[in-house]
Amino acid sequence: MKLSWKTLLLLSLPAIVISFFLWQGFLVPTNEQLSGNLARSRMTYGRFLEYLDMNWIKKVDMYDNGHTAIVEAVGPELGNRVQKIRVELPANAPELITRLKKAHVDLDAHPAKNTSAIWNLAGNLLFPLLLVGGLAFLFRKSNSATGGPGQAMSFSKSKALFQMEAKTGVVFNDVAGVDEAKEEFEEVVTFLKKPERFTAVGARIPKGVLLIGPPGTGKTLLAKAIAGEANVPFFSISGSEFVEMFVGVGASRVRDLFKKAKENAPCIVFIDEIDAVGRQRGAGIGGGNDEREQTLNQLLTEMDGFEGNTGVIVIAATNRADILDLALLRPGRFDRQVIVEVPDFKGRLAILRVHARNKKIDTNVSMPIIARRTPGFSGADLANLLNEAAILTARKRKNTIELSEIDASIDRIVAGMEGTPLTDSKSKRLIAYHEVGHGIVGTLLKDHDAVQKVTLIPRGQARGLTWFTPEEDQSLISRSQIISRIMGALGGRAAEEVIFGDTEVTTGASNDLQQVTSMARQMVTRFGMSKIGPLSLENEETNPFLGRSIGSLSEYSDEIAIKIDKQIQLIVKECYVKTVKIIQENRVVIDRLVDLLIEKETIDGQEFRQIINEYTPVPEKG
Ligand code: ADP
Ligand code: MG
Ligand code: ZN
């Protein structure tokens, strides 16, 4: 059955109404009940008790089972006029009634009129409805990108606010570039489809699978694909949603979630961002978070509670497996761990092909070229890239997406929004020399990546940019390659100095110098590429409390520290001398390239190399 999202929204309206109230934690009096009785100001319960002691309270109208009251108060603090004030009452305060009676307060209770209340509240609900509607819409949009059919999406009628999808519509074919993870999951699909095969030989089906990987690498997508392939319902909730709830609600949500899941078995329960609840207990700065611990404990209890073969498989995703509570990783819980990594060249190519399926891309566009230009892009980045390119194409009123739109989108994603170029001025000239400096050093060094283009069109923070195309994914980088990169990065400053003199050099090189220093430091302390020898002196360490890197932990004496600094200086100095030499020896072609760059604002790599080749032979790369 295929339902339109509007119908679904209407169907789920009561559920949304209910969950919204629970979110708010109380039922507000209806408009009807409040009409003519509109209380604009509020006060705390404590203040209300004070007023009561002062005999300032004249009348109390209770609503919604005594959770809310509109009180009429009069007193000097209130300008001696009768004022209507709203008070939220604690759930359990039986002694309050006695006190009110003693104080001879006019007390009235109004029962909640639930049927009409829901419709009266429609006005109040416009905002959350729009919000949910917007989400549902986005949700559908993002799924249609993967070519899935429309799917049922509804909110549970219980107080849990997890999502349940009868059909995710995502299949393994929509996920690319993560072959190992997919293989692992094909087995899980078999567990769900043919559990007998495993139970017959006494195998215990795993209860939980933990997906570990950086954001945007397709963890959510993979979990959905399992449900889609096995054709089972998909329950999902995010760890951060557990935590932001009121006390006690997180744990009860977990209970609800698992209850619903067992009723719908076989099915997938997906817990996104599990690190938000599953962080090591008692490790938080400033005391533990009781709420989180309760939620985590409940989760562990639930996972232990159901038998391995109920057909419920819990999939959780995190990008921080290192901070997870060890109890979660014990066998019988998330005993399978699947690592999802940022895709390599082949992976990017496959992902691009998946997302190109529903886009009109010009036949001339070469996907390998795009994949080559996008090292470090995650699946989500690549999906976003093609979408940006499509938007750009539509804006230009063109029919098919061409390489130029894709290129512009890559530039934008990597380096930020395009700015307006400088008008001809001294600083434009200086920037041109700086960029051509990077470009020529990069071109003339055999082990440096090839120049893709040099441009004076500013983007983001940068006022000019030199782009390089990495030849292929480089997991192993040689010393010569690092030295070449250091020299390439120094090329900008070297050109400034050679052409304008050392009094005219600018702050424009600060970012380059940062990179240079960091590369040189790693050569010395991590890669054993200096005269100190093959020692690992620093490790990238992360702090489990802050959940992020706090720099490096040093394990050496002060004496070594001095040696390290000396070696770093030595490397950078040698590189700089060689770089300056390249600039000096190629002054003629540099001047010509700068004039051309100022005129055209962008020179592509091929033209750049051709011009240099007229003066000096350009070495083959790689
Ligand atoms: P994560 O959960 O790891 O942060 P998502 O699964 O939410 O990442 O990915 C976001 C979107 O990026 C997906 O909906 C999909 O469009 C795209 N995407 C990410 N990884 C892949 C992949 N491996 N193959 C195809 N598309 C992907
Ligand atoms: Mg996700
Ligand atoms: Zn620079």
Side-chain angles (χ1 to χ4, degrees), residues 334-387:
F334 291 103
D335 36 8
R336 293 216 169 184
Q337 294 170 21
V338 176
I339 312 249
V340 189
E341 298 202 74
V342 174
D344 57 5
F345 170 76
K346 265 172 61 192
R348 290 196 300 275
L349 188 57
I351 295 172
L352 282 167
R353 295 214 158 109
V354 165
H355 289 277
R357 286 202 297 236
N358 61 354
K359 300 208 168 48
K360 277 199 190 148
I361 298 186
D362 197 271
T363 43
N364 286 330
V365 174
S366 147
M367 288 294 166
I369 289 184
I370 305 172
R372 188 146 287 145
R373 272 210 68 195
T374 46
F377 274 47
S378 68
D381 293 331
L382 293 168
N384 178 35
L385 165 66
L386 288 188
N387 194 49

Side-chain angles (χ1 to χ4, degrees), residues 215-221 270 272-273 317:
T217 45
K219 299 183 294 298
T220 309
L221 197 66
F270 178 59
D272 212 349
E273 298 172 46

Side-chain angles (χ1 to χ4, degrees), residues 186-192 194-206 309 336:
E186 261 148 30
E187 198 176 42
V188 177
V189 170
T190 328
F191 285 144
L192 287 163
K194 299 198 174 85
E196 329 76 65
R197 193 188 291 177
F198 297 89
T199 49
V201 293
R204 189 175 55 80
I205 293 176
N309 301 334
R336 293 216 169 184

Side-chain angles (χ1 to χ4, degrees), residues 389-456:
I391 291 172
L392 196 59
T393 309
R395 203 183 294 150
K396 288 187 185 166
R397 299 190 185 282
K398 285 175 32 177
N399 292 327
T400 53
I401 304 170
E402 286 177 54
L403 193 61
S404 56
E405 282 83 44
I406 298 181
D407 258 338
S409 306
I410 297 177
D411 291 358
R412 184 169 161 182
I413 291 170
V414 175
M417 287 275 280
E418 193 174 290
T420 31
L422 289 174
T423 43
D424 206 358
S425 66
K426 191 179 167 208
S427 44
K428 185 170 186 176
R429 247 194 138 60
L430 185 130
I431 297 164
Y433 273 105
H434 179 108
E435 296 307 329
V436 170
H438 285 308
I440 194 153
V441 176
T443 304
L444 292 178
L445 291 175
K446 179 176 159 296
D447 285 326
H448 198 288
D449 296 328
V451 172
Q452 193 233 333
K453 69 180 169 200
V454 182
T455 176
L456 288 183

Side-chain angles (χ1 to χ4, degrees), residues 283-349:
I285 289 180
N289 176 343
D290 274 349
E291 170 63 0
R292 213 193 59 222
E293 291 193 7
Q294 282 178 21
T295 310
L296 175 58
N297 288 336
Q298 188 64 39
L299 186 66
L300 295 174
T301 315
E302 291 289 344
M303 289 197 70
D304 288 340
F306 66 81
E307 286 307 310
N309 301 334
T310 44
V312 179
I313 292 189
V314 187
I315 300 179
T318 180
N319 42 29
R320 295 298 317 273
D322 52 327
I323 59 167
L324 285 185
D325 198 297
L326 288 178
L328 272 173
L329 306 175
R330 240 185 41 196
R333 288 162 184 164
F334 291 103
D335 36 8
R336 293 216 169 184
Q337 294 170 21
V338 176
I339 312 249
V340 189
E341 298 202 74
V342 174
D344 57 5
F345 170 76
K346 265 172 61 192
R348 290 196 300 275
L349 188 57

Side-chain angles (χ1 to χ4, degrees), residues 52-302:
L52 196 58
D53 282 341
M54 309 280 237
N55 262 329
W56 289 355
I57 305 290
K58 299 300 159 205
K59 186 167 188 287
V60 173
D61 285 276
M62 298 235 197
Y63 295 94
D64 131 56
N65 298 329
H67 287 310
T68 312
I70 305 295
V71 306
E72 284 180 19
V74 59
E77 250 181 49
L78 301 165
N80 280 321
R81 278 180 299 121
V82 177
Q83 302 232 353
K84 287 182 182 166
I85 306 170
R86 183 153 135 188
V87 187
E88 258 82 77
L89 305 177
N92 245 332
E95 73 289 349
L96 176 65
I97 310 288
T98 347
R99 280 184 70 175
L100 288 171
K101 275 190 189 141
K102 249 191 216 154
H104 299 287
V105 173
D106 185 356
L107 179 65
D108 202 354
H110 304 259
K113 293 181 196 163
N114 266 328
T115 38
S116 63
I118 285 190
W119 297 111
N120 279 325
L121 275 161
N124 289 355
L125 282 169
L126 207 61
F127 175 66
L129 249 183
L130 279 175
L131 202 71
V132 173
L135 283 178
F137 182 65
L138 282 177
F139 183 70
R140 282 180 55 83
K141 240 189 96 165
S142 73
N143 266 292
S144 63
T146 55
Q151 62 281 131
M153 165 181 158
S154 68
F155 291 86
S156 152
K157 293 208 175 47
S158 77
K159 56 188 153 186
L161 203 98
F162 47 81
Q163 284 181 17
M164 138 106 177
E165 283 174 61
K167 297 249 163 58
T168 58
V170 180
V171 290
F172 279 148
N173 235 341
D174 298 324
V175 194
V178 280
D179 296 337
E180 286 112 67
K182 261 163 80 173
E183 260 166 44
E184 192 88 29
F185 277 153
E186 261 148 30
E187 198 176 42
V188 177
V189 170
T190 328
F191 285 144
L192 287 163
K193 275 183 157 167
K194 299 198 174 85
E196 329 76 65
R197 193 188 291 177
F198 297 89
T199 49
V201 293
R204 189 175 55 80
I205 293 176
K207 290 180 194 169
V209 183
L210 182 63
L211 279 167
I212 306 163
T217 45
K219 299 183 294 298
T220 309
L221 197 66
L222 263 170
K224 286 191 176 177
I226 297 173
E229 288 280 338
N231 213 0
V232 298
F234 182 76
F235 291 86
S236 70
I237 190 161
S238 155
S240 57
E241 282 169 352
F242 282 136
V243 176
E244 66 199 21
M245 299 306 301
F246 297 96
V247 177
V249 182
S252 73
R253 273 186 164 199
V254 175
R255 253 194 314 275
D256 271 13
L257 178 64
F258 278 86
K259 187 162 158 275
K260 268 267 160 344
K262 277 181 230 164
E263 287 166 13
N264 286 283
C267 67
I268 299 271
V269 170
F270 178 59
I271 305 172
D272 212 349
E273 298 172 46
I274 194 171
D275 42 301
V277 274
R279 198 172 275 252
Q280 282 164 33
R281 282 168 288 190
I285 289 180
N289 176 343
D290 274 349
E291 170 63 0
R292 213 193 59 222
E293 291 193 7
Q294 282 178 21
T295 310
L296 175 58
N297 288 336
Q298 188 64 39
L299 186 66
L300 295 174
T301 315
E302 291 289 344

